[in-house]
């Protein structure tokens, strides 16, 4: 802002003679600005900045939050992460999950959004239904998926047996459980992707599509050459947003498998939670949280850098 | 957990965790080393703050007791706050660091060794020695869980135990006699096999496999029945890599892997519905589940024994505690007075009859007509009440128990899923447990 250089007429009138008091301070743009932002800033500092700083401090301590002694242990929590086999498994699971969840959600969301971007009967019903997955509580979602993928009683295995395929163990199988979680979360987040893509689709000017049609472009060509590029800001937003959320996966794991079977669905945030609230290793958990924080920053910066090249903003 | 979802949902969960982590320590830095004086509590003296996790009938019964206490003790006020029991420790830790812990909190027994490290926790060792408390009237398992290294850190709030709930109809259909009080694990395993019918997706029994403490304590009962011990008497070494440990894991392996008579529930949420739908013949579970089985005719029997061992039909209990935090001596004594009154036999009896919770006092269990009244309200509870006498030991009261539990959970699940052989799993787990016990 220009608070420092811009003098209001009232201030000028006050003159150098009488302006040295409190009144001048209270009148200044600087003061007014700060007065307006202070309540908000105080809340942000209290509930965001202070916790961030203090968990950083804790990541250098051995701290169980129980006993008053919190010895400083330097980088030992971070060093411990390198040698912890579950951390490397958790990183692997988190990356696999993110690599499947983000494109999966975007593709399903895009498909549904395109399908619903037309005027047919009951379209608002369909749109509401698509978005409803966002309104359903995670607990409900988890319970439904636990039953869908139950090895003995689930519809998924029923469908497989109907198709003559072998029965699967799903959440009981260390090699399959993570994919069930991927399916569960794609389902849960599709509504979000649909809404973002649908609003972006509605913002695409019809005249561009008509011009392309007149130039002889078929529907697929129009979609690829006109629609998709114009959707790129929405795609970048979704990619960044979903990635941040994917790296922080927790609820569905907590509710369905608790990191199991045999750590097959232990992702970083779940492990962090386990270390903090089950094992009372708050220092170590803070170190893991900080590691994840750095990963998210790096990934997001990369996404923005790379994404910018493929993103078209109409002005 | 977040009950509603929105785009910010997961971010909020992490933010919440981070905030909690950090806020707790940030507040810690604001200085709470002052022993017990820190209470900036809104309550005047004479008012104590109680955090409890009761809902529905329990909440009603507890509110009734609180009102009765206030009526009987003029000048004493008890203000209660509902705190989900699963989250109680997190909330208490934050409050302790913030300098305003509740005066009394309901806390899970499995947290006891860790809670004992909190300097604001009031030592009740002398209090429970008072003749009015009649400490030895509480069940042995409760007293064990309330005591850490000889120090009493809580008063018993709840007691339960594991027994076998079986479906009478399925037993009759399979032409099997229902389990008797002298039954054995080989009989349990044979029954489970006969009760299994793959064509109608019916299982003999079930096991919860999230590899958490729920997975672990079910197995600990088997280990004790086989005559084994979890740790050496000094708590410094693993002792479960033994013949008893092997027998117990082999029993589970036979049912889960060989006979496929055991339904595995990785989410800890489906087994009760399946039992209530008549899909499971026998469940090892606690009294809290009985109200979930209105659709089946069930019976309850004590745990099976292993023939030729000294373990007998013993079972495991997971008692919870009322813990007092120091907010100055006036409030501490008010809190002690309240807890002494709350856990007296008449109040214990009232709460049990109203809610179906097991009696925390032996004198309640033996009171005339009590068991009959309980069993009339919830059939099968009588067995769980007598089964309290089969609780002979408690889980090790050590601060490393959460880590030990995690290792055991992985051991058990790896056997149940057929990923490890019992002996190999025992050896690996014992080695890890020894490492964990030596580590800190």
């Amino acid at each position: 802002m220009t608070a420092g250089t811009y003098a209001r007429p009232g201030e000028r009138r006050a003159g150098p003679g009488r302006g040295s008091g409190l009144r001048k301070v209270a009148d200044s743009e600087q003061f007014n600005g700060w007065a307006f932002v202070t309540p908000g800033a105080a809340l942000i500092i209290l509930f965001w900045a202070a916790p961030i700083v203090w968990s950083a401090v804790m990541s250098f301590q051995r701290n169980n939050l129980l006993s008053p002694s919190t010895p400083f242990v330097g980088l030992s929590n971070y060093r411990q992460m390198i040698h912890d086999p579950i951390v490397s498994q958790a990183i692997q699971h988190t990356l696999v999950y993110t690599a499947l969840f983000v494109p999966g959600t975007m593709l399903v969301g895009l498909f549904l959004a395109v399908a619903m971007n037309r005027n047919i009967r009951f379209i608002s019903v369909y749109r509401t239904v698509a978005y409803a997955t966002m309104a359903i509580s995670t607990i409900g979602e988890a319970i439904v998926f636990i039953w869908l993928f139950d090895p003995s009683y689930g519809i998924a295995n029923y469908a497989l047996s109907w198709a003559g395929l072998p029965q699967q163990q799903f959440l009981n199988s260390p090699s399959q459980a993570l994919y069930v979680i991927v399916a569960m979360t794609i389902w849960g987040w599709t509504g979000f992707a649909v809404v973002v893509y649908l609003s972006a689709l509605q913002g695409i000017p019809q005249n561009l599509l008509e011009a392309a049609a007149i130039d002889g472009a078929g529907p697929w060509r129009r979609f690829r050459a006109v629609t998709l590029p114009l959707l790129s800001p929405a795609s970048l937003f979704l990619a960044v947003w979903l990635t941040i959320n994917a790296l922080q996966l927790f609820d569905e794991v907590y509710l369905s498998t608790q990191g199991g079977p045999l750590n097959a669905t232990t992702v970083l945030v779940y492990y962090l939670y386990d270390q903090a609230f089950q094992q009372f290793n708050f220092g170590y958990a803070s170190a893991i949280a900080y590691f994840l924080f750095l990963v998210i920053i790096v990934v997001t910066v990369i996404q923005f850098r790379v994404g910018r090249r493929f993103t078209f903003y109409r002005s | 957990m977040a009950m509603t979802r929105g785009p910010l949902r997961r971010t909020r969960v992490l933010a919440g965790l981070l905030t909690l982590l950090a806020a707790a320590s940030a507040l810690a830095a604001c200085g709470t080393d002052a022993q017990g004086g820190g209470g900036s509590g809104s309550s005047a003296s004479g008012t104590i703050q109680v955090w409890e996790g009761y809902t529905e009938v329990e909440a009603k019964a507890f509110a009734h007791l609180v009102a009765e206490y206030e009526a009987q003790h003029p000048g004493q006020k008890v203000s209660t706050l509902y705190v989900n029991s699963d989250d109680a420790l997190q909330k208490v830790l934050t409050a302790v660091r913030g300098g305003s812990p509740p005066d009394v909190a309901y806390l899970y027994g499995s947290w006891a060794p860790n809670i004992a490290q909190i300097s604001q926790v009031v030592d009740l060792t002398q209090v429970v020695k008072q003749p009015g408390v009649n400490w030895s009237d509480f069940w042995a398992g409760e007293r064990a869980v309330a005591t850490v290294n000889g120090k009493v850190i809580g008063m018993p709030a709840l007691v339960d135990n594991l027994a076998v709930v079986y479906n009478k109809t399925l037993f009759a259909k399979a032409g099997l006699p229902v389990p008797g009080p002298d039954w054995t694990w080989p009989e349990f395993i044979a029954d489970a096999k006969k009760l299994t019918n793959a064509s109608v997706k019916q299982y003999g029994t079930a096991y919860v496999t999230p590899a958490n403490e729920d997975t672990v304590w079910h197995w600990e009962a088997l280990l004790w029945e086989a005559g084994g011990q979890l740790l050496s008497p000094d708590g410094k070494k693993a002792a479960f890599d033994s013949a008893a440990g092997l027998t117990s894991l082999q029993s589970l392996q036979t049912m889960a892997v060989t006979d496929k008579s055991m339904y595995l529930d990785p989410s800890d949420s489906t087994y009760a519905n399946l039992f209530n739908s008549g899909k499971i013949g026998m469940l090892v579970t606690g009294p809290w589940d009985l109200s979930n089985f209105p659709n089946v005719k069930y019976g309850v029997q004590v745990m099976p024994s292993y023939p030729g061992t000294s373990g007998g039909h013993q079972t495991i209990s997971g008692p919870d505690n009322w813990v007092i935090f120091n907010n100055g001596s006036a409030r501490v004594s008010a809190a002690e007075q309240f807890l002494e009154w709350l856990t007296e036999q008449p109040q214990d009896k009232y709460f049990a009859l109203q809610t179906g919770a097991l009696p925390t006092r032996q004198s309640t269990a033996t009171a005339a007509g009590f068991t009959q009244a309980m069993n009339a309200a919830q059939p099968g509870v009588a067995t769980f009440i007598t089964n309290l006498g089969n609780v002979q030991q408690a889980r090790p009261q050590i601060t490393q128990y959460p880590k030990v539990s995690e290792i055991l959970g992985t051991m058990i699940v790896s056997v149940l899923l057929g990923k490890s052989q019992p002996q190999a799993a025992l050896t690996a787990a014992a080695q890890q447990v020894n490492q964990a016990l030596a580590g800190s």
Side-chain angles (χ1 to χ4, degrees):
Chain A
M1 297 306 285
T2 53
T5 52
Y6 179 73
R8 291 179 306 155
E11 243 179 307
R12 204 177 296 150
R13 243 182 285 133
R18 14 179 324 221
S20 57
L22 258 174
R23 196 186 156 73
K24 183 181 172 188
V25 178
D27 255 5
S28 75
E29 290 260 342
Q30 277 272 1
F31 177 82
N32 283 338
W34 280 111
F36 277 115
V37 299
T38 301
L43 284 176
I44 289 171
I45 289 167
L46 185 63
F47 291 110
W48 270 105
I52 287 170
V53 170
W54 277 103
S55 56
V57 172
M58 256 205 290
S59 73
F60 298 107
Q61 292 175 335
R62 179 175 305 126
N63 191 334
N64 63 7
L65 281 196
L66 300 160
S67 76
S69 105
T70 54
F72 182 79
V73 293
L75 287 170
S76 111
N77 284 326
Y78 291 92
R79 234 175 281 128
Q80 192 186 339
M81 282 175 61
I82 300 168
H83 302 293
D84 187 339
I86 303 183
V87 165
S88 51
Q89 282 180 39
I91 292 173
Q92 207 187 321
H93 298 151
T94 309
L95 293 179
V96 169
Y97 169 79
T98 307
L100 293 171
F101 165 77
V102 176
T105 309
M106 288 173 66
L107 282 175
V108 177
L110 180 62
F111 177 81
L112 289 177
V114 170
M116 287 192 286
N117 186 33
R118 61 184 72 180
N119 277 318
I120 50 174
R121 241 138 75 87
F122 306 123
I123 186 63
S124 55
V125 174
Y126 302 140
R127 287 176 186 167
T128 310
V129 168
Y131 191 69
T133 64
M134 293 303 290
I136 290 171
S137 82
T138 317
I139 291 183
E141 174 196 350
I143 291 173
V144 166
F145 270 80
I146 286 166
W147 281 112
L148 283 178
F149 288 96
D150 187 283
S152 305
Y153 308 99
I155 292 175
N157 258 343
Y158 180 74
L160 287 179
S161 73
W162 195 69
L165 293 166
Q167 299 287 288
Q168 301 300 321
Q169 286 298 310
F170 297 120
L171 289 175
N172 272 334
S173 157
S175 57
Q176 295 171 5
L178 190 63
Y179 302 111
V180 175
I181 305 245
V182 170
M184 190 189 304
T185 46
I186 287 181
W187 183 85
W189 278 86
T190 295
F192 178 67
V194 167
V195 167
V196 171
Y197 271 132
L198 205 51
S199 62
L201 281 169
Q202 316 237 306
I204 292 178
Q206 282 302 309
N207 54 6
L208 290 181
L209 291 166
E210 279 161 17
I214 290 165
D215 288 346
W220 175 242
R221 184 77 197 273
R222 284 203 299 275
F223 178 73
R224 280 217 39 207
V226 181
T227 308
L228 217 46
L230 289 174
L231 286 179
S232 55
S235 298
L236 178 64
F237 165 73
L238 277 175
V240 171
W241 190 259
L242 293 174
T243 302
I244 292 174
N245 279 286
L247 293 170
Q248 297 182 1
L249 172 70
F250 176 79
D251 300 22
E252 283 82 355
V253 171
Y254 177 85
L255 292 167
S256 61
T257 59
Q258 309 209 4
L262 304 177
N263 292 324
T265 56
T266 299
V267 287
L268 275 171
V269 178
Y270 187 81
Y271 190 55
L272 177 167
Y273 161 83
D274 176 69
Q275 284 297 321
F277 296 110
Q278 309 287 319
Q279 309 287 333
F280 302 99
N281 294 328
F282 284 87
Y284 189 41
S286 302
I288 297 172
Y290 255 81
F291 170 72
L292 180 64
F293 179 58
L294 291 178
V295 169
I296 290 175
I297 288 182
V298 169
V299 169
T300 307
V301 167
I302 292 174
Q303 280 181 322
F304 271 115
R305 283 271 164 83
V306 175
R308 207 166 287 158
R309 264 185 253 158
F310 303 100
T311 307
F312 302 88
Y313 292 100
R314 285 182 306 123
S315 53
Chain B
M1 298 290 18
M3 297 289 291
T4 53
R5 76 186 297 157
L8 282 164
R9 190 173 48 105
R10 284 195 196 73
T11 325
R12 279 204 206 106
V13 172
L14 182 70
L17 285 173
L18 279 173
T19 312
L20 189 74
L21 283 174
S25 76
L27 293 167
C30 303
T32 49
D33 289 30
Q35 286 278 318
S40 60
S42 49
S43 39
S45 78
T47 299
I48 55 164
Q49 172 83 224
V50 177
W51 287 8
E52 40 81 14
Y54 293 132
T55 55
E56 300 178 27
V57 282
E58 294 181 333
K60 233 176 108 187
F62 188 71
H64 174 90
L65 287 174
V66 166
E68 197 179 321
Y69 176 77
E70 288 179 341
Q72 286 179 18
H73 300 79
Q76 297 290 328
K77 287 277 296 167
V78 177
S79 114
T80 61
L81 180 71
Y82 169 79
V83 175
N84 183 329
S85 296
D86 286 343
D87 303 334
L89 183 59
Q90 299 175 19
K91 302 247 159 87
V92 162
L93 282 178
T94 314
V96 164
R97 289 305 183 202
S100 54
D103 297 291
V104 177
Y106 181 109
L107 294 168
Y108 288 153
S110 55
W111 292 329
N114 291 297
I115 290 165
Q117 292 178 281
I118 303 174
S119 54
Q120 285 89 338
V121 165
V122 174
D123 182 351
L124 299 173
T125 313
Q126 296 308 315
V127 175
V128 303
K129 281 184 184 154
Q130 292 163 17
V133 175
N134 196 5
W135 184 238
S136 58
D137 187 29
F138 291 106
W139 303 95
E142 293 174 315
R143 282 177 276 141
V145 167
T147 312
V148 180
N149 295 328
K151 194 171 100 174
V152 177
I153 56 115
M155 298 281 277
L158 171 125
V159 69
D160 55 19
N161 61 71
L162 293 180
V164 178
V165 183
Y166 58 91
N167 183 322
K168 287 180 175 170
T169 316
L170 294 186
F171 267 81
K173 266 192 201 159
L176 289 168
V178 296
D182 297 322
W183 70 327
T184 62
W185 275 107
E187 286 167 7
F188 182 101
I189 294 169
D191 286 355
K193 192 176 177 182
K194 287 183 196 138
L195 289 164
T196 301
N197 184 347
S199 64
V200 293
K201 295 191 172 165
Q202 178 184 314
Y203 287 86
T205 185
Y207 204 98
V208 290
T209 59
N212 61 10
E213 179 57 19
D214 203 16
T215 300
V216 173
W217 78 314
H218 278 82
W219 168 76
E220 282 167 350
L222 268 79
L223 176 72
W224 291 343
E225 286 144 17
Q229 283 295 324
L230 204 53
L231 303 179
S232 59
D234 63 359
K236 295 216 159 76
K237 281 229 165 289
F240 56 87
D241 184 5
S242 60
L246 188 61
T247 307
S248 62
L249 279 186
Q250 280 169 342
S251 298
L252 296 182
Q253 187 193 34
T254 305
M255 292 184 277
V257 183
T258 315
D259 295 347
K260 303 217 179 301
S261 60
M262 186 179 257
Y263 171 82
L264 302 180
D265 179 359
S267 62
D268 211 340
S269 65
T270 51
Y271 73 90
N273 274 320
L274 291 174
F275 185 83
N276 191 39
S277 311
K279 292 289 180 191
I280 291 173
M282 298 180 283
L283 270 186
V284 175
T285 190
W288 63 85
D289 260 341
L290 291 181
S291 59
N292 294 329
F293 308 142
N295 298 346
V296 288
K297 278 177 71 185
Y298 63 82
V300 183
Q301 192 48 275
V302 297
M303 296 291 283
S305 66
Y306 280 104
T309 66
S310 56
H313 297 275
Q314 65 177 297
T315 186
I316 191 167
S317 175
D320 297 332
N321 296 317
W322 291 112
V323 177
I324 301 182
F325 293 88
N326 191 340
N327 281 318
S329 58
R331 283 168 66 176
V332 167
S333 48
E336 287 170 357
Q337 192 190 345
F338 173 66
L339 283 191
E340 283 170 32
W341 180 87
L342 182 69
T343 54
E344 276 171 8
Q345 198 253 354
Q347 284 70 254
D348 181 38
K349 190 174 164 190
Y350 173 84
F351 193 78
L353 286 171
Q354 293 297 313
T355 65
L358 299 189
T360 58
R361 283 184 177 274
Q362 299 178 48
S363 59
T364 310
T366 52
F370 172 79
T371 304
Q372 292 84 330
M374 289 287 285
N375 211 49
Q378 183 69 69
V381 163
T383 310
F384 281 107
I385 296 173
T386 47
N387 203 29
L388 284 167
N390 289 326
V391 181
Q392 293 167 15
Q393 43 193 327
R395 285 169 278 196
Q397 294 277 84
I398 53 169
T399 53
Q400 302 95 330
Y401 186 75
K403 182 71 198 163
V404 172
S405 170
E406 195 168 83
I407 296 165
L408 296 173
T410 303
M411 171 189 83
I412 298 161
V413 173
S414 70
V415 170
L416 288 171
L417 295 181
K419 301 283 173 194
S420 308
Q421 288 301 318
Q423 186 54 61
L426 280 171
T427 311
Q431 194 188 342
Q432 289 173 44
V433 166
N434 284 334
Q435 223 165 26
L437 294 175
S440 42

